[in-house]
């Protein structure tokens, strides 16, 4: 991220980390130490994030009032 990170969520198996900031949502492959910025869905900062128990999806909330459900493999 180019801005401060506003939230983090780790999958139950520890393989995925989802981070949120003013510049969007990023999914990290923890073992591979690589991150992917997901397509823009929020305007403005993203503040909240949670990962589902199975680690396949994340939900984010931003200051635009939207709640977005993501496939952590790269899309909404």
């Amino acid at each position: 991220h180019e801005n401060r990170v506003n939230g983090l969520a780790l999958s139950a198996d520890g393989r995925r980390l989802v981070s949120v900031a003013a510049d969007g949502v990023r999914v990290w492959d923890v073992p591979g130490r690589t991150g992917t910025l997901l397509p823009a869905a929020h305007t403005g900062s993203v503040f909240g994030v949670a990962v589902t128990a199975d680690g396949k999806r994340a939900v984010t909330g931003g200051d635009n009032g939207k709640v977005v459900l993501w496939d952590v493999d790269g899309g909404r």
Side-chain angles (χ1 to χ4, degrees):
H1 294 285
E2 295 182 19
N3 300 297
R4 84 176 168 177
V5 174
N6 296 326
L8 297 169
L10 184 65
S11 64
D13 65 5
R15 297 185 57 79
R16 301 285 178 139
L17 177 70
V18 181
S19 58
V20 296
D23 61 347
V25 178
R26 191 174 294 267
V27 176
W28 300 90
D29 173 45
V30 174
R33 297 183 180 189
T34 59
T36 302
L37 188 63
L38 297 180
H42 294 280
T43 54
S45 289
V46 186
F47 290 105
V49 60
V51 176
T52 59
D54 64 8
K56 294 181 180 180
R57 292 181 187 82
V59 62
T60 59
D63 63 3
N64 65 348
K66 280 179 132 181
V67 174
V68 179
L69 182 64
W70 300 89
D71 173 349
V72 296
D73 289 326
R76 292 178 266 184

